[in-house]
Amino acid sequence: MTPNPSAYLAPSAIASMDAYAHRLAISRRFGERIAAGDAVFMTGNGDVQGPPCTLVDGQAKVFSGINRLMLMQVMFDKGWTDPRFFTLGQIQGAGWSLREGARPVKLQYLVAADSSGLPAAQATTKQFCVFNASDVDGVASLTPRT
């Protein structure tokens, strides 16, 4: 029987375990894909219109690190060619709407600096979800690359 961590850990420690479990799951899935020879970075990324990105102040901001690889793999697996991803807040703020059945992709990033820009005493992990533009009504059509 697996013990319940909430019985003996602070909520911040449980959140860290969830983030760690998420990273382990991603690593395990990429390991399986590599073993099968079908990880997106081994096979190419299909007919994609650019690297996974979001919009910040009207400008495209490309995802980096494991989030980029993860989004590329999801795009490849689902056959999405539109590389744009948005949070629910971005979708609502722009007056767009999420299509029925849209499934989010959970991403995370490490916060290693405090508000003054100095190294934090303890790094924390933040998680957020994004939706592909193909699941959003109202977003402008993607202009094809030439």
Side-chain angles (χ1 to χ4, degrees):
M1 179 173 143
T2 304
N4 178 0
S6 63
Y8 55 89
L9 293 176
S12 61
I14 294 168
S16 294
M17 283 180 56
D18 290 342
Y20 184 69
H22 182 70
R23 285 191 299 261
L24 285 177
I26 291 168
S27 299
R28 186 173 32 259
R29 278 182 277 182
F30 269 116
E32 291 167 357
R33 299 303 291 262
I34 291 167
D38 69 350
V40 70
F41 48 83
M42 297 170 74
T43 62
N45 62 351
D47 185 26
V48 175
Q49 293 295 314
C53 64
T54 191
L55 296 178
V56 176
D57 297 325
Q59 299 293 317
K61 180 181 178 191
V62 175
F63 288 96
S64 61
I66 193 66
N67 288 335
R68 182 177 184 163
L69 288 175
M70 195 167 120
L71 289 172
M72 288 173 61
Q73 188 68 56
V74 171
M75 289 173 64
F76 180 77
D77 292 346
K78 294 193 178 280
W80 291 336
T81 58
D82 193 324
R84 298 172 297 169
F85 289 85
F86 307 102
T87 65
L88 189 55
Q90 287 174 305
I91 293 166
Q92 292 170 338
W96 304 328
S97 59
L98 201 52
R99 290 193 181 132
E100 182 84 21
R103 303 238 0 204
V105 179
K106 185 192 293 187
L107 303 176
Q108 60 182 231
Y109 63 96
L110 186 67
V111 178
D114 63 19
S115 60
S116 66
L118 296 173
Q122 181 175 358
T124 58
T125 302
K126 301 285 185 179
Q127 296 182 343
F128 63 105
C129 291
V130 293
F131 297 88
N132 185 261
S134 64
D135 283 331
V136 179
D137 287 324
V139 67
S141 296
L142 182 65
T143 305
R145 279 191 312 198
T146 56

Tab-separated table of all heavy atoms in Angstrom, residues 25-87:
chain	number	residue	atom	x	y	z
A	25	ALA	N	7.162	11.245	-15.382
A	25	ALA	CA	6.252	10.697	-16.392
A	25	ALA	C	6.678	11.125	-17.792
A	25	ALA	O	6.675	10.315	-18.727
A	25	ALA	CB	4.820	11.136	-16.103
A	26	ILE	N	7.070	12.383	-17.946
A	26	ILE	CA	7.537	12.876	-19.242
A	26	ILE	C	8.797	12.130	-19.651
A	26	ILE	O	8.922	11.668	-20.793
A	26	ILE	CB	7.802	14.397	-19.192
A	26	ILE	CG1	6.478	15.146	-19.042
A	26	ILE	CG2	8.542	14.860	-20.445
A	26	ILE	CD1	6.650	16.599	-18.696
A	27	SER	N	9.735	11.999	-18.729
A	27	SER	CA	10.984	11.288	-19.023
A	27	SER	C	10.708	9.843	-19.423
A	27	SER	O	11.294	9.325	-20.375
A	27	SER	CB	11.916	11.306	-17.809
A	27	SER	OG	12.252	12.621	-17.479
A	28	ARG	N	9.808	9.201	-18.707
A	28	ARG	CA	9.467	7.809	-19.002
A	28	ARG	C	8.849	7.697	-20.403
A	28	ARG	O	9.210	6.823	-21.186
A	28	ARG	CB	8.514	7.268	-17.937
A	28	ARG	CG	8.203	5.800	-18.061
A	28	ARG	CD	7.376	5.224	-16.903
A	28	ARG	NE	6.424	6.124	-16.270
A	28	ARG	CZ	6.627	6.766	-15.108
A	28	ARG	NH1	7.734	6.597	-14.436
A	28	ARG	NH2	5.704	7.564	-14.610
A	29	ARG	N	7.938	8.616	-20.732
A	29	ARG	CA	7.294	8.571	-22.046
A	29	ARG	C	8.302	8.806	-23.166
A	29	ARG	O	8.268	8.125	-24.184
A	29	ARG	CB	6.167	9.594	-22.135
A	29	ARG	CG	4.880	9.065	-21.490
A	29	ARG	CD	3.772	10.043	-21.614
A	29	ARG	NE	3.967	10.987	-20.518
A	29	ARG	CZ	3.180	11.999	-20.235
A	29	ARG	NH1	2.151	12.255	-20.981
A	29	ARG	NH2	3.418	12.790	-19.226
A	30	PHE	N	9.226	9.774	-22.972
A	30	PHE	CA	10.245	9.994	-23.997
A	30	PHE	C	11.169	8.787	-24.101
A	30	PHE	O	11.568	8.405	-25.195
A	30	PHE	CB	11.049	11.276	-23.743
A	30	PHE	CG	10.452	12.489	-24.409
A	30	PHE	CD1	9.983	13.538	-23.659
A	30	PHE	CD2	10.360	12.566	-25.785
A	30	PHE	CE1	9.423	14.655	-24.269
A	30	PHE	CE2	9.797	13.673	-26.414
A	30	PHE	CZ	9.323	14.718	-25.648
A	31	GLY	N	11.486	8.160	-22.977
A	31	GLY	CA	12.303	6.947	-23.005
A	31	GLY	C	11.639	5.850	-23.814
A	31	GLY	O	12.288	5.156	-24.618
A	32	GLU	N	10.331	5.678	-23.626
A	32	GLU	CA	9.576	4.679	-24.384
A	32	GLU	C	9.559	5.021	-25.868
A	32	GLU	O	9.715	4.142	-26.718
A	32	GLU	CB	8.144	4.587	-23.847
A	32	GLU	CG	8.053	3.991	-22.458
A	32	GLU	CD	6.690	4.195	-21.797
A	32	GLU	OE1	5.805	4.870	-22.396
A	32	GLU	OE2	6.521	3.700	-20.669
A	33	ARG	N	9.389	6.302	-26.178
A	33	ARG	CA	9.352	6.733	-27.585
A	33	ARG	C	10.718	6.542	-28.235
A	33	ARG	O	10.798	6.130	-29.393
A	33	ARG	CB	8.928	8.198	-27.691
A	33	ARG	CG	7.551	8.549	-27.144
A	33	ARG	CD	6.407	7.771	-27.756
A	33	ARG	NE	6.124	8.086	-29.114
A	33	ARG	CZ	5.169	8.915	-29.535
A	33	ARG	NH1	4.398	9.527	-28.677
A	33	ARG	NH2	4.970	9.114	-30.816
A	34	ILE	N	11.783	6.823	-27.497
A	34	ILE	CA	13.134	6.622	-28.035
A	34	ILE	C	13.372	5.138	-28.297
A	34	ILE	O	13.876	4.750	-29.359
A	34	ILE	CB	14.195	7.202	-27.083
A	34	ILE	CG1	14.098	8.736	-27.081
A	34	ILE	CG2	15.601	6.751	-27.477
A	34	ILE	CD1	14.865	9.402	-25.956
A	35	ALA	N	12.987	4.298	-27.345
A	35	ALA	CA	13.155	2.849	-27.511
A	35	ALA	C	12.369	2.342	-28.720
A	35	ALA	O	12.826	1.447	-29.439
A	35	ALA	CB	12.715	2.117	-26.245
A	36	ALA	N	11.200	2.918	-28.965
A	36	ALA	CA	10.381	2.524	-30.109
A	36	ALA	C	10.857	3.170	-31.411
A	36	ALA	O	10.412	2.796	-32.492
A	36	ALA	CB	8.918	2.891	-29.855
A	37	GLY	N	11.763	4.164	-31.295
A	37	GLY	CA	12.289	4.843	-32.479
A	37	GLY	C	11.344	5.854	-33.083
A	37	GLY	O	11.510	6.250	-34.234
A	38	ASP	N	10.335	6.309	-32.308
A	38	ASP	CA	9.390	7.256	-32.885
A	38	ASP	C	9.269	8.573	-32.112
A	38	ASP	O	8.252	9.255	-32.204
A	38	ASP	CB	8.015	6.608	-33.072
A	38	ASP	CG	7.292	6.312	-31.763
A	38	ASP	OD1	7.913	6.423	-30.698
A	38	ASP	OD2	6.095	5.978	-31.819
A	39	ALA	N	10.305	8.937	-31.385
A	39	ALA	CA	10.309	10.257	-30.733
A	39	ALA	C	10.422	11.318	-31.821
A	39	ALA	O	11.124	11.135	-32.818
A	39	ALA	CB	11.476	10.371	-29.757
A	40	VAL	N	9.731	12.427	-31.649
A	40	VAL	CA	9.651	13.455	-32.689
A	40	VAL	C	11.032	13.954	-33.107
A	40	VAL	O	11.257	14.246	-34.279
A	40	VAL	CB	8.735	14.621	-32.248
A	40	VAL	CG1	9.379	15.444	-31.141
A	40	VAL	CG2	8.381	15.502	-33.427
A	41	PHE	N	11.983	14.006	-32.202
A	41	PHE	CA	13.307	14.498	-32.563
A	41	PHE	C	14.116	13.445	-33.308
A	41	PHE	O	15.192	13.727	-33.808
A	41	PHE	CB	14.083	15.026	-31.351
A	41	PHE	CG	14.073	14.111	-30.160
A	41	PHE	CD1	14.957	13.061	-30.058
A	41	PHE	CD2	13.166	14.322	-29.138
A	41	PHE	CE1	14.946	12.224	-28.963
A	41	PHE	CE2	13.144	13.490	-28.033
A	41	PHE	CZ	14.041	12.433	-27.945
A	42	MET	N	13.575	12.231	-33.423
A	42	MET	CA	14.225	11.174	-34.198
A	42	MET	C	13.604	11.046	-35.589
A	42	MET	O	14.266	10.637	-36.529
A	42	MET	CB	14.093	9.826	-33.475
A	42	MET	CG	14.779	9.787	-32.132
A	42	MET	SD	14.352	8.295	-31.214
A	42	MET	CE	15.291	7.064	-32.083
A	43	THR	N	12.328	11.389	-35.706
A	43	THR	CA	11.597	11.156	-36.945
A	43	THR	C	11.286	12.433	-37.712
A	43	THR	O	10.809	12.365	-38.826
A	43	THR	CB	10.255	10.462	-36.642
A	43	THR	OG1	9.467	11.328	-35.818
A	43	THR	CG2	10.467	9.136	-35.957
A	44	GLY	N	11.508	13.578	-37.127
A	44	GLY	CA	11.108	14.844	-37.732
A	44	GLY	C	9.789	15.283	-37.128
A	44	GLY	O	9.169	14.564	-36.356
A	45	ASN	N	9.356	16.469	-37.496
A	45	ASN	CA	8.129	16.967	-36.872
A	45	ASN	C	7.002	17.190	-37.865
A	45	ASN	O	6.110	17.977	-37.622
A	45	ASN	CB	8.412	18.225	-36.045
A	45	ASN	CG	8.928	19.373	-36.877
A	45	ASN	OD1	9.234	19.209	-38.046
A	45	ASN	ND2	9.036	20.542	-36.282
A	46	GLY	N	7.026	16.500	-38.978
A	46	GLY	CA	5.904	16.561	-39.906
A	46	GLY	C	5.718	17.929	-40.530
A	46	GLY	O	6.645	18.720	-40.645
A	47	ASP	N	4.504	18.203	-40.916
A	47	ASP	CA	4.163	19.441	-41.603
A	47	ASP	C	3.753	20.502	-40.589
A	47	ASP	O	2.587	20.826	-40.432
A	47	ASP	CB	3.021	19.180	-42.595
A	47	ASP	CG	2.700	20.408	-43.424
A	47	ASP	OD1	3.592	21.254	-43.607
A	47	ASP	OD2	1.546	20.517	-43.869
A	48	VAL	N	4.726	21.011	-39.877
A	48	VAL	CA	4.481	21.989	-38.822
A	48	VAL	C	4.890	23.372	-39.327
A	48	VAL	O	5.878	23.519	-40.030
A	48	VAL	CB	5.268	21.604	-37.547
A	48	VAL	CG1	5.129	22.665	-36.487
A	48	VAL	CG2	4.784	20.265	-37.034
A	49	GLN	N	4.116	24.378	-38.946
A	49	GLN	CA	4.355	25.742	-39.411
A	49	GLN	C	5.305	26.532	-38.515
A	49	GLN	O	5.228	27.742	-38.456
A	49	GLN	CB	3.016	26.466	-39.533
A	49	GLN	CG	2.128	25.913	-40.606
A	49	GLN	CD	2.717	26.116	-41.992
A	49	GLN	OE1	3.184	27.191	-42.331
A	49	GLN	NE2	2.718	25.075	-42.781
A	50	GLY	N	6.186	25.870	-37.798
A	50	GLY	CA	7.159	26.540	-36.954
A	50	GLY	C	7.231	25.891	-35.587
A	50	GLY	O	6.460	24.988	-35.275
A	51	PRO	N	8.152	26.370	-34.750
A	51	PRO	CA	8.284	25.794	-33.409
A	51	PRO	C	7.105	26.189	-32.521
A	51	PRO	O	6.477	27.223	-32.741
A	51	PRO	CB	9.591	26.408	-32.897
A	51	PRO	CG	9.736	27.677	-33.658
A	51	PRO	CD	9.121	27.429	-35.004
A	52	PRO	N	6.783	25.359	-31.523
A	52	PRO	CA	5.679	25.687	-30.617
A	52	PRO	C	5.897	27.051	-29.970
A	52	PRO	O	6.998	27.354	-29.491
A	52	PRO	CB	5.725	24.582	-29.567
A	52	PRO	CG	6.495	23.478	-30.188
A	52	PRO	CD	7.451	24.120	-31.152
A	53	CYS	N	4.848	27.875	-29.975
A	53	CYS	CA	4.974	29.226	-29.432
A	53	CYS	C	3.660	29.679	-28.815
A	53	CYS	O	2.621	29.048	-28.973
A	53	CYS	CB	5.405	30.195	-30.530
A	53	CYS	SG	4.185	30.372	-31.861
A	54	THR	N	3.734	30.787	-28.110
A	54	THR	CA	2.559	31.464	-27.588
A	54	THR	C	2.710	32.931	-27.936
A	54	THR	O	3.729	33.336	-28.515
A	54	THR	CB	2.411	31.249	-26.068
A	54	THR	OG1	1.113	31.704	-25.662
A	54	THR	CG2	3.499	31.931	-25.272
A	55	LEU	N	1.732	33.736	-27.612
A	55	LEU	CA	1.817	35.165	-27.866
A	55	LEU	C	1.946	35.915	-26.556
A	55	LEU	O	1.190	35.680	-25.624
A	55	LEU	CB	0.573	35.657	-28.615
A	55	LEU	CG	0.362	35.088	-30.012
A	55	LEU	CD1	-0.935	35.629	-30.608
A	55	LEU	CD2	1.530	35.406	-30.923
A	56	VAL	N	2.921	36.797	-26.502
A	56	VAL	CA	3.125	37.662	-25.351
A	56	VAL	C	3.197	39.083	-25.886
A	56	VAL	O	4.084	39.400	-26.683
A	56	VAL	CB	4.413	37.298	-24.580
A	56	VAL	CG1	4.646	38.271	-23.437
A	56	VAL	CG2	4.356	35.867	-24.083
A	57	ASP	N	2.248	39.919	-25.477
A	57	ASP	CA	2.157	41.296	-25.967
A	57	ASP	C	2.167	41.358	-27.490
A	57	ASP	O	2.833	42.193	-28.100
A	57	ASP	CB	3.299	42.152	-25.395
A	57	ASP	CG	3.245	42.267	-23.884
A	57	ASP	OD1	2.119	42.306	-23.339
A	57	ASP	OD2	4.313	42.312	-23.250
A	58	GLY	N	1.440	40.428	-28.115
A	58	GLY	CA	1.314	40.419	-29.565
A	58	GLY	C	2.490	39.829	-30.319
A	58	GLY	O	2.468	39.760	-31.539
A	59	GLN	N	3.517	39.417	-29.597
A	59	GLN	CA	4.709	38.845	-30.235
A	59	GLN	C	4.794	37.353	-29.947
A	59	GLN	O	4.512	36.921	-28.827
A	59	GLN	CB	5.978	39.530	-29.709
A	59	GLN	CG	6.040	41.017	-29.978
A	59	GLN	CD	6.163	41.309	-31.465
A	59	GLN	OE1	6.917	40.654	-32.178
A	59	GLN	NE2	5.392	42.279	-31.936
A	60	ALA	N	5.230	36.582	-30.948
A	60	ALA	CA	5.400	35.145	-30.751
A	60	ALA	C	6.572	34.901	-29.808
A	60	ALA	O	7.638	35.491	-29.958
A	60	ALA	CB	5.655	34.459	-32.077
A	61	LYS	N	6.345	34.052	-28.818
A	61	LYS	CA	7.394	33.641	-27.887
A	61	LYS	C	7.502	32.119	-27.981
A	61	LYS	O	6.553	31.410	-27.673
A	61	LYS	CB	7.070	34.064	-26.457
A	61	LYS	CG	8.137	33.638	-25.479
A	61	LYS	CD	7.806	34.037	-24.062
A	61	LYS	CE	8.909	33.520	-23.147
A	61	LYS	NZ	8.548	33.623	-21.758
A	62	VAL	N	8.654	31.643	-28.448
A	62	VAL	CA	8.865	30.218	-28.666
A	62	VAL	C	9.118	29.527	-27.332
A	62	VAL	O	9.877	30.014	-26.496
A	62	VAL	CB	10.054	30.000	-29.632
A	62	VAL	CG1	10.369	28.526	-29.789
A	62	VAL	CG2	9.754	30.634	-30.984
A	63	PHE	N	8.465	28.387	-27.132
A	63	PHE	CA	8.722	27.576	-25.948
A	63	PHE	C	10.125	26.987	-26.062
A	63	PHE	O	10.624	26.768	-27.165
A	63	PHE	CB	7.694	26.435	-25.833
A	63	PHE	CG	6.325	26.899	-25.443
A	63	PHE	CD1	5.355	27.128	-26.404
A	63	PHE	CD2	6.001	27.104	-24.115
A	63	PHE	CE1	4.087	27.550	-26.052
A	63	PHE	CE2	4.739	27.528	-23.746
A	63	PHE	CZ	3.781	27.750	-24.717
A	64	SER	N	10.735	26.706	-24.920
A	64	SER	CA	12.097	26.171	-24.936
A	64	SER	C	12.196	24.933	-24.050
A	64	SER	O	11.251	24.570	-23.348
A	64	SER	CB	13.081	27.243	-24.452
A	64	SER	OG	12.784	27.628	-23.126
A	65	GLY	N	13.341	24.304	-24.096
A	65	GLY	CA	13.631	23.162	-23.235
A	65	GLY	C	12.683	21.999	-23.444
A	65	GLY	O	12.201	21.740	-24.545
A	66	ILE	N	12.409	21.297	-22.352
A	66	ILE	CA	11.556	20.114	-22.414
A	66	ILE	C	10.141	20.470	-22.823
A	66	ILE	O	9.458	19.672	-23.481
A	66	ILE	CB	11.587	19.322	-21.081
A	66	ILE	CG1	10.954	17.940	-21.236
A	66	ILE	CG2	10.917	20.106	-19.974
A	66	ILE	CD1	11.694	16.999	-22.132
A	67	ASN	N	9.672	21.693	-22.500
A	67	ASN	CA	8.331	22.102	-22.920
A	67	ASN	C	8.232	22.137	-24.448
A	67	ASN	O	7.229	21.728	-25.024
A	67	ASN	CB	7.955	23.455	-22.331
A	67	ASN	CG	7.669	23.372	-20.849
A	67	ASN	OD1	7.307	22.325	-20.337
A	67	ASN	ND2	7.844	24.467	-20.150
A	68	ARG	N	9.282	22.604	-25.093
A	68	ARG	CA	9.295	22.644	-26.562
A	68	ARG	C	9.231	21.224	-27.127
A	68	ARG	O	8.434	20.936	-28.016
A	68	ARG	CB	10.541	23.360	-27.053
A	68	ARG	CG	10.612	23.477	-28.555
A	68	ARG	CD	11.842	24.258	-28.961
A	68	ARG	NE	11.879	24.449	-30.388
A	68	ARG	CZ	12.633	25.348	-30.973
A	68	ARG	NH1	13.403	26.135	-30.260
A	68	ARG	NH2	12.630	25.467	-32.278
A	69	LEU	N	10.083	20.339	-26.608
A	69	LEU	CA	10.081	18.956	-27.088
A	69	LEU	C	8.733	18.283	-26.844
A	69	LEU	O	8.212	17.562	-27.702
A	69	LEU	CB	11.191	18.153	-26.422
A	69	LEU	CG	12.612	18.463	-26.873
A	69	LEU	CD1	13.610	17.674	-26.044
A	69	LEU	CD2	12.788	18.173	-28.346
A	70	MET	N	8.179	18.519	-25.673
A	70	MET	CA	6.908	17.900	-25.323
A	70	MET	C	5.802	18.384	-26.257
A	70	MET	O	5.005	17.581	-26.774
A	70	MET	CB	6.554	18.204	-23.876
A	70	MET	CG	5.461	17.320	-23.356
A	70	MET	SD	5.386	17.470	-21.592
A	70	MET	CE	3.727	18.052	-21.443
A	71	LEU	N	5.745	19.695	-26.516
A	71	LEU	CA	4.727	20.225	-27.409
A	71	LEU	C	4.932	19.721	-28.833
A	71	LEU	O	3.962	19.411	-29.542
A	71	LEU	CB	4.703	21.751	-27.367
A	71	LEU	CG	4.150	22.347	-26.075
A	71	LEU	CD1	4.343	23.856	-26.047
A	71	LEU	CD2	2.688	21.988	-25.888
A	72	MET	N	6.182	19.616	-29.261
A	72	MET	CA	6.450	19.072	-30.594
A	72	MET	C	5.945	17.635	-30.703
A	72	MET	O	5.359	17.254	-31.716
A	72	MET	CB	7.951	19.138	-30.904
A	72	MET	CG	8.448	20.537	-31.174
A	72	MET	SD	10.250	20.635	-31.341
A	72	MET	CE	10.539	19.589	-32.748
A	73	GLN	N	6.155	16.837	-29.651
A	73	GLN	CA	5.702	15.450	-29.669
A	73	GLN	C	4.177	15.378	-29.705
A	73	GLN	O	3.600	14.601	-30.471
A	73	GLN	CB	6.235	14.689	-28.458
A	73	GLN	CG	5.971	13.201	-28.506
A	73	GLN	CD	6.760	12.498	-29.596
A	73	GLN	OE1	7.980	12.598	-29.630
A	73	GLN	NE2	6.092	11.787	-30.478
A	74	VAL	N	3.521	16.201	-28.895
A	74	VAL	CA	2.056	16.210	-28.879
A	74	VAL	C	1.524	16.653	-30.243
A	74	VAL	O	0.581	16.066	-30.780
A	74	VAL	CB	1.508	17.109	-27.742
A	74	VAL	CG1	0.009	17.296	-27.855
A	74	VAL	CG2	1.876	16.525	-26.385
A	75	MET	N	2.141	17.683	-30.829
A	75	MET	CA	1.724	18.148	-32.151
A	75	MET	C	1.852	17.023	-33.170
A	75	MET	O	0.946	16.781	-33.974
A	75	MET	CB	2.556	19.352	-32.580
A	75	MET	CG	2.256	20.618	-31.819
A	75	MET	SD	3.385	21.961	-32.221
A	75	MET	CE	3.009	22.215	-33.946
A	76	PHE	N	2.969	16.329	-33.145
A	76	PHE	CA	3.216	15.220	-34.064
A	76	PHE	C	2.182	14.119	-33.863
A	76	PHE	O	1.585	13.630	-34.819
A	76	PHE	CB	4.639	14.695	-33.839
A	76	PHE	CG	5.014	13.548	-34.729
A	76	PHE	CD1	5.357	13.762	-36.056
A	76	PHE	CD2	5.053	12.257	-34.235
A	76	PHE	CE1	5.713	12.709	-36.877
A	76	PHE	CE2	5.408	11.193	-35.044
A	76	PHE	CZ	5.738	11.420	-36.373
A	77	ASP	N	1.953	13.742	-32.608
A	77	ASP	CA	1.022	12.663	-32.294
A	77	ASP	C	-0.414	12.992	-32.706
A	77	ASP	O	-1.162	12.124	-33.137
A	77	ASP	CB	1.056	12.327	-30.802
A	77	ASP	CG	2.367	11.698	-30.368
A	77	ASP	OD1	3.168	11.277	-31.232
A	77	ASP	OD2	2.604	11.631	-29.140
A	78	LYS	N	-0.811	14.242	-32.549
A	78	LYS	CA	-2.192	14.631	-32.831
A	78	LYS	C	-2.381	15.139	-34.257
A	78	LYS	O	-3.498	15.439	-34.663
A	78	LYS	CB	-2.653	15.683	-31.833
A	78	LYS	CG	-2.723	15.131	-30.413
A	78	LYS	CD	-3.473	16.057	-29.511
A	78	LYS	CE	-3.585	15.494	-28.126
A	78	LYS	NZ	-4.643	14.508	-28.002
A	79	GLY	N	-1.278	15.297	-34.990
A	79	GLY	CA	-1.376	15.784	-36.363
A	79	GLY	C	-1.645	17.278	-36.454
A	79	GLY	O	-2.115	17.772	-37.478
A	80	TRP	N	-1.354	18.015	-35.394
A	80	TRP	CA	-1.549	19.465	-35.413
A	80	TRP	C	-0.433	20.118	-36.213
A	80	TRP	O	0.743	19.806	-36.021
A	80	TRP	CB	-1.518	20.042	-34.000
A	80	TRP	CG	-2.666	19.674	-33.114
A	80	TRP	CD1	-3.921	19.294	-33.492
A	80	TRP	CD2	-2.663	19.661	-31.686
A	80	TRP	NE1	-4.695	19.053	-32.387
A	80	TRP	CE2	-3.945	19.270	-31.263
A	80	TRP	CE3	-1.702	19.940	-30.735
A	80	TRP	CZ2	-4.287	19.159	-29.930
A	80	TRP	CZ3	-2.036	19.831	-29.398
A	80	TRP	CH2	-3.319	19.445	-29.008
A	81	THR	N	-0.779	21.034	-37.095
A	81	THR	CA	0.233	21.776	-37.843
A	81	THR	C	0.383	23.199	-37.329
A	81	THR	O	1.356	23.869	-37.629
A	81	THR	CB	-0.111	21.813	-39.347
A	81	THR	OG1	-1.395	22.407	-39.520
A	81	THR	CG2	-0.100	20.407	-39.934
A	82	ASP	N	-0.591	23.661	-36.561
A	82	ASP	CA	-0.548	25.015	-35.994
A	82	ASP	C	0.284	24.974	-34.711
A	82	ASP	O	-0.075	24.276	-33.762
A	82	ASP	CB	-1.964	25.503	-35.689
A	82	ASP	CG	-2.025	26.989	-35.401
A	82	ASP	OD1	-1.076	27.521	-34.773
A	82	ASP	OD2	-3.028	27.620	-35.786
A	83	PRO	N	1.403	25.694	-34.665
A	83	PRO	CA	2.290	25.631	-33.501
A	83	PRO	C	1.901	26.555	-32.354
A	83	PRO	O	2.603	26.624	-31.354
A	83	PRO	CB	3.641	26.058	-34.087
A	83	PRO	CG	3.264	27.052	-35.138
A	83	PRO	CD	1.985	26.515	-35.742
A	84	ARG	N	0.778	27.245	-32.452
A	84	ARG	CA	0.409	28.224	-31.420
A	84	ARG	C	-0.351	27.559	-30.283
A	84	ARG	O	-1.267	26.774	-30.506
A	84	ARG	CB	-0.424	29.350	-32.024
A	84	ARG	CG	0.341	30.135	-33.094
A	84	ARG	CD	-0.542	31.108	-33.802
A	84	ARG	NE	-1.602	30.379	-34.514
A	84	ARG	CZ	-2.667	30.970	-35.069
A	84	ARG	NH1	-2.822	32.279	-34.981
A	84	ARG	NH2	-3.574	30.259	-35.701
A	85	PHE	N	0.041	27.922	-29.058
A	85	PHE	CA	-0.581	27.399	-27.847
A	85	PHE	C	-0.937	28.566	-26.939
A	85	PHE	O	-0.187	29.540	-26.856
A	85	PHE	CB	0.367	26.443	-27.116
A	85	PHE	CG	0.548	25.136	-27.829
A	85	PHE	CD1	1.478	25.002	-28.844
A	85	PHE	CD2	-0.235	24.036	-27.503
A	85	PHE	CE1	1.639	23.810	-29.520
A	85	PHE	CE2	-0.077	22.834	-28.172
A	85	PHE	CZ	0.860	22.717	-29.175
A	86	PHE	N	-2.067	28.434	-26.240
A	86	PHE	CA	-2.546	29.507	-25.378
A	86	PHE	C	-3.045	28.951	-24.048
A	86	PHE	O	-3.608	27.862	-24.007
A	86	PHE	CB	-3.704	30.262	-26.053
A	86	PHE	CG	-3.385	30.760	-27.425
A	86	PHE	CD1	-3.859	30.093	-28.548
A	86	PHE	CD2	-2.600	31.887	-27.612
A	86	PHE	CE1	-3.567	30.544	-29.832
A	86	PHE	CE2	-2.295	32.345	-28.885
A	86	PHE	CZ	-2.784	31.670	-29.999
A	87	THR	N	-2.872	29.746	-23.002
A	87	THR	CA	-3.465	29.395	-21.711
A	87	THR	C	-4.948	29.759	-21.756
A	87	THR	O	-5.382	30.545	-22.617
A	87	THR	CB	-2.800	30.155	-20.552
A	87	THR	OG1	-3.065	31.559	-20.708
A	87	THR	CG2	-1.295	29.894	-20.488
